[in-house]
Amino acid sequence: MVAETNDVQNFIAVQALFQHLAESNLEYLSNNIYVAYQKSGGELEVGTGEAKPVGLVMVRSGSLEIRDAQQNLIDRLSAGDFFIPRVLAQAPAEMIVRVLEDCLYYELSESAFQSIRSNDEDISRLCDTYARSYQADASKSENAPAPAVRKQHAFTDSYLDQSVKDYMTAPAFCASPNITIRRAAQIMTNNKISSLLITEDERLVGIMTDRDLRTRVVAKGVADTEPVSGVMTPKPHCIDMRGRLHQAQLVMMSSGIHHLPVVDRDVPVGMLGMSDIMRANNLEPLSLTRGINNATTVTELAAVAAKLPDLVVKLIERDTRPYEVGEIITSLSDALTRRLLRLAETVYGKPPCTWAWLAFGSQARQEQMLGSDQDNALIYANNADDSADAYFAPFARFVNDGLDVCGIHRCPGDIMASNPKWRMTLAGWQQTFNYWIQERSPKALMHASIFFDMRPVAGDLELVNHLRGYVLAKARSNTIFLALMTQNALEHSPPLGFFKQFVLEKDGDHNHTLDLKKRGTITIVDIARNYSLAAAISEVNTISRLQAMERAGVMSRELVASLVDAHEFIAGIRLQAQGEKFHAGDTVDNQLDPKTLSPLVRHQLKEAFQLVRQAQAAMKARFGGGVL
């Protein structure tokens, strides 16, 4: 039967697949949708059907599941989910669609489906991704294709897209064309400016610059008693105050000038120089790194570090890839740490032994985000005596306190070099890691998951290389330890329910939100860490680990691509949410209310979580070894 148009249209208008369509397209679809019903236990036809070709089936209420001929579960569908009959019919394995709960569903005619698919890029892309997911045997989760993930695009501007009025020098210094050249020079000297705007009836008619004085007055022997109108540049280039910096820079570069008058409806209001454009570029990673390296006190470092959140927001607005943002934040954390280490040496003198400063966790993986705290330690050469720790105790405290002042807050678990537990010789660290690998306590596994992601920030890198080689060899040979690490990782499951609905936090402070770190990116970090430990892969960054596992044949290309996409997508949403909270003056954390996402992004996020869940199942099967 044909559905009531308004009811169907209202429903599909808020679904991920169709929510972006215009009213006319929604009406067209709803006019070509038929309503069907099937009781629990029944099966839906797979195929387009000969008498009434069906292009797409969407669940209105109830639930379905899709299994292959071997009864492997492929997918579960609830309200708003869809399947494409033709894709299931053409899958390499036979597919069965069974009704779990009494199901009301919509059938979109094949002709209408193909029409909208061929005319809408988003729908076409989603359907192509869906079709690819059934081209391989979907029951083998490691071969599952990439989820239909797509980065959100919020802003595309860079520093050059900022407004001219925000960077011009104001007010404008103006003078009449009738004043003498000497008077013009006096005005410029007294006001310490290198250009003077010439106006008539408040409107811009010319400009006199230092260069004009040299080339048109001094070089040609013109008397300074002559009127400035005879040597000025008439009808100079100018830009409206509402223009953008890139427009101003283009005018200046194409005209070979270094000063550009800024006007408001032909009335001069300021001046823009190349130095002003360079100033706009100050909020860049290189500029902040330069500021960090030039700082001579903790106070100066803190002033530079205070610009980091603004930089991150701008990187987000430029649609910078999340892993690149993580690398930039981490590079600045590294620079702050190294500068504080240098400052500490000026206070406490030369270190008494060979040493290295270690970073752990997200800093080690180069995946820091806004709000990341400290995880660090010190390692000494084995010949260090008691004087080493006496020296490094206040030294480490100086650095940890300095990082805290700079906005990289102290670790709540006290995993910092200022804690004497985390300052020891190479042999001491080897013994500690060996204990964690052999010991089967939850605390040992927690430490293992944090400390196994290690990277030297400063000092003797060979100390860390020796330690990393020792740890990888020990971990790789201990299958029970890998099984326990897998079990530990599975405690962080993606926040999806039985029917792929979001499972929200119930914590008092974060009620009804998703934790995009603990239940999102960390789940992929854990998978990459466990596989790399098993294969003795020395990479630390999650994306690099996954790519190294593909090269080593440890993980399939398809699964690596899917996990990289999922990690980027979840991290991107996390960054976007952090940027919006910073803008709003709220506490920057890792929580997100999924209601703030569009239906399409919510759908894509569920697909990413679903893929992680499949990858976790594959990890359990691979490393469980009968222990789990």
Side-chain angles (χ1 to χ4, degrees):
M1 64 179 175
V2 179
E4 294 181 18
T5 301
N6 287 340
D7 179 55
V8 174
Q9 189 168 325
N10 290 339
F11 179 78
I12 65 173
V14 295
Q15 302 310 315
L17 190 60
F18 301 129
Q19 55 91 26
H20 62 288
L21 294 179
E23 191 78 11
S24 57
N25 286 332
L26 292 170
E27 184 178 353
Y28 168 72
L29 290 179
S30 62
N31 286 335
N32 286 276
I33 278 178
Y34 291 80
V35 179
Y37 175 81
Q38 183 64 262
K39 289 184 68 64
S40 172
E43 294 183 0
L44 270 60
E45 182 181 358
V46 174
T48 58
E50 295 183 359
K52 188 184 64 178
V54 176
L56 179 140
V57 174
M58 177 170 282
V59 178
R60 173 60 193 262
S61 63
S63 60
L64 309 170
E65 67 176 15
I66 301 174
R67 292 182 180 271
D68 63 15
Q70 287 71 46
Q71 295 303 307
N72 293 308
L73 177 64
I74 305 302
D75 202 0
R76 286 198 178 93
L77 311 180
S78 58
D81 294 330
F82 67 91
F83 71 87
I84 301 173
R86 182 185 296 277
V87 170
L88 298 191
Q90 295 174 348
E94 181 185 358
M95 295 292 163
I96 302 165
V97 180
R98 184 170 293 119
V99 178
L100 295 176
E101 298 173 306
D102 292 357
C103 187
L104 188 68
Y105 57 96
Y106 293 153
E107 293 180 341
L108 176 63
S109 71
E110 174 73 4
S111 59
F113 172 63
Q114 294 302 338
S115 174
I116 201 72
R117 180 176 181 173
S118 61
N119 289 296
D120 187 280
E121 185 181 350
D122 285 340
I123 291 177
S124 177
R125 187 184 297 112
L126 272 174
C127 291
D128 288 345
T129 302
Y130 178 86
R132 286 197 298 274
S133 70
Y134 283 90
Q135 288 172 359
D137 183 354
S139 67
K140 297 177 180 178
S141 57
E142 286 201 11
N143 290 327
V149 297
R150 185 158 55 102
K151 294 173 65 178
Q152 296 186 97
H153 297 271
F155 312 94
T156 57
D157 60 335
S158 70
Y159 78 94
L160 285 175
D161 287 323
Q162 297 180 72
S163 174
V164 165
K165 66 181 173 58
D166 293 334
Y167 288 92
M168 69 181 186
T169 300
F173 288 93
C174 304
S176 163
N178 298 321
I179 66 170
T180 63
I181 295 172
R182 178 184 298 175
R183 179 58 187 151
Q186 289 171 340
I187 293 173
M188 294 168 66
T189 302
N190 293 340
N191 291 286
K192 299 179 180 177
I193 56 177
S194 56
S195 59
L196 180 65
L197 300 181
I198 309 301
T199 58
E200 273 186 338
D201 299 328
E202 296 187 345
R203 296 189 177 277
L204 182 68
V205 295
I207 184 172
M208 169 67 83
T209 68
D210 280 341
R211 184 180 181 185
D212 293 331
L213 288 172
R214 292 195 306 273
T215 59
R216 296 178 181 174
V217 178
V218 177
K220 294 185 177 180
V222 177
D224 61 7
T225 54
E226 293 292 319
V228 74
S229 58
V231 294
M232 71 179 187
T233 299
K235 300 180 180 178
H237 293 285
C238 61
I239 188 167
D240 188 90
M241 63 184 293
R242 287 163 285 273
R244 298 292 171 180
L245 290 183
H246 70 84
Q247 296 169 323
Q249 188 180 44
L250 185 63
V251 172
M252 294 165 80
M253 291 178 66
S254 60
S255 306
I257 58 178
H258 296 88
H259 302 87
L260 190 63
V262 181
V263 298
D264 181 11
R265 296 175 180 82
D266 297 332
V267 176
V269 292
M271 181 69 76
L272 189 74
M274 288 301 293
S275 60
D276 297 314
I277 293 179
M278 294 300 294
R279 181 165 55 87
N281 191 25
N282 276 344
L283 202 57
E284 293 296 303
L286 286 178
S287 175
L288 291 191
T289 302
R290 193 182 308 122
I292 290 170
N293 292 337
N294 292 334
T296 57
T297 66
V298 175
T299 302
E300 290 179 7
L301 275 178
V304 179
K307 300 176 182 177
L308 178 60
D310 283 320
L311 169 64
V312 173
V313 170
K314 289 189 177 299
L315 292 172
I316 297 169
E317 292 173 352
R318 291 177 204 171
D319 212 12
T320 306
R321 297 184 65 178
Y323 85 87
E324 292 172 337
V325 175
E327 288 179 343
I328 290 170
I329 295 174
T330 305
S331 70
L332 294 172
S333 293
D334 288 355
L336 285 168
T337 304
R338 295 190 185 104
R339 192 60 190 157
L340 284 165
L341 289 167
R342 293 290 299 273
L343 294 178
E345 282 195 33
T346 64
V347 174
Y348 299 103
K350 188 178 179 182
C353 63
T354 303
W355 61 282
W357 184 275
L358 284 170
F360 299 113
S362 60
Q363 187 179 1
R365 296 192 304 271
Q366 297 179 286
E367 295 168 2
Q368 285 190 302
M369 297 281 170
L370 286 176
S372 293
D373 57 22
Q374 300 181 45
D375 284 316
N376 48 57
L378 273 164
I379 180 172
Y380 313 143
N382 285 335
N383 60 359
D385 57 25
D386 292 343
S387 66
D389 206 61
Y391 168 88
F392 278 109
F395 181 98
R397 197 159 46 245
F398 178 93
V399 177
N400 289 145
D401 289 346
L403 287 171
D404 187 59
V405 171
C406 291
I408 306 174
H409 297 304
R410 304 177 69 85
C411 172
D414 205 16
I415 299 176
M416 295 181 292
S418 56
N419 184 340
K421 287 174 61 179
W422 311 126
R423 298 193 303 268
M424 58 186 105
T425 63
L426 172 61
W429 277 108
Q430 289 173 332
Q431 189 176 13
T432 300
F433 271 99
N434 194 46
Y435 170 78
W436 288 334
I437 292 170
Q438 300 298 329
E439 176 65 29
R440 300 175 185 179
S441 70
K443 192 169 185 179
L445 289 170
M446 182 195 73
H447 283 145
S449 64
I450 296 173
F451 286 83
F452 279 3
D453 295 343
M454 72 172 91
R455 183 172 58 85
V457 175
D460 188 341
L461 306 187
E462 282 305 305
L463 284 174
V464 185
N465 290 337
H466 280 301
L467 178 59
R468 182 186 291 127
Y470 176 87
V471 170
L472 288 174
K474 286 288 182 182
R476 184 181 194 181
S477 61
N478 193 323
T479 56
I480 295 177
F481 168 73
L482 291 173
L484 292 172
M485 284 289 285
T486 297
Q487 186 179 40
N488 191 54
L490 292 176
E491 292 182 3
H492 296 147
S493 59
L496 279 185
F498 190 72
F499 290 108
K500 294 198 300 186
Q501 76 278 20
F502 287 128
V503 177
L504 304 179
E505 299 290 316
K506 295 181 179 177
D507 180 274
D509 294 334
H510 303 122
N511 214 7
H512 303 305
T513 62
L514 297 171
D515 188 329
L516 294 176
K517 179 184 178 184
K518 188 173 69 175
R519 309 282 298 267
T521 53
I522 285 296
T523 59
I524 302 172
V525 168
D526 287 340
I527 292 170
R529 182 191 301 112
N530 283 8
Y531 275 84
S532 61
L533 282 174
I537 289 172
S538 60
E539 302 286 352
V540 180
N541 174 266
T542 298
I543 303 299
S544 299
R545 277 176 166 167
L546 291 168
Q547 292 168 342
M549 285 186 283
E550 179 190 340
R551 291 193 296 272
V554 176
M555 187 177 282
S556 70
R557 174 179 296 182
E558 291 80 7
L559 183 56
V560 166
S562 297
L563 287 174
V564 168
D565 282 349
H567 186 274
E568 283 285 277
F569 184 70
I570 298 170
I573 293 178
R574 180 183 168 198
L575 263 177
Q576 188 79 34
Q578 288 188 335
E580 289 170 359
K581 288 180 179 178
F582 176 77
H583 263 312
D586 297 336
T587 301
V588 175
D589 54 26
N590 301 303
Q591 309 300 132
L592 173 77
D593 182 351
K595 292 179 181 176
T596 62
L597 300 174
S598 70
L600 180 59
V601 174
R602 282 202 300 271
H603 176 81
Q604 292 172 323
L605 186 58
K606 288 180 181 178
E607 291 296 308
F609 285 146
Q610 175 68 8
L611 182 128
V612 174
R613 185 152 67 183
Q614 292 173 348
Q616 284 189 329
M619 178 176 67
K620 181 179 179 180
R622 184 160 187 161
F623 299 115
V627 175
L628 304 184

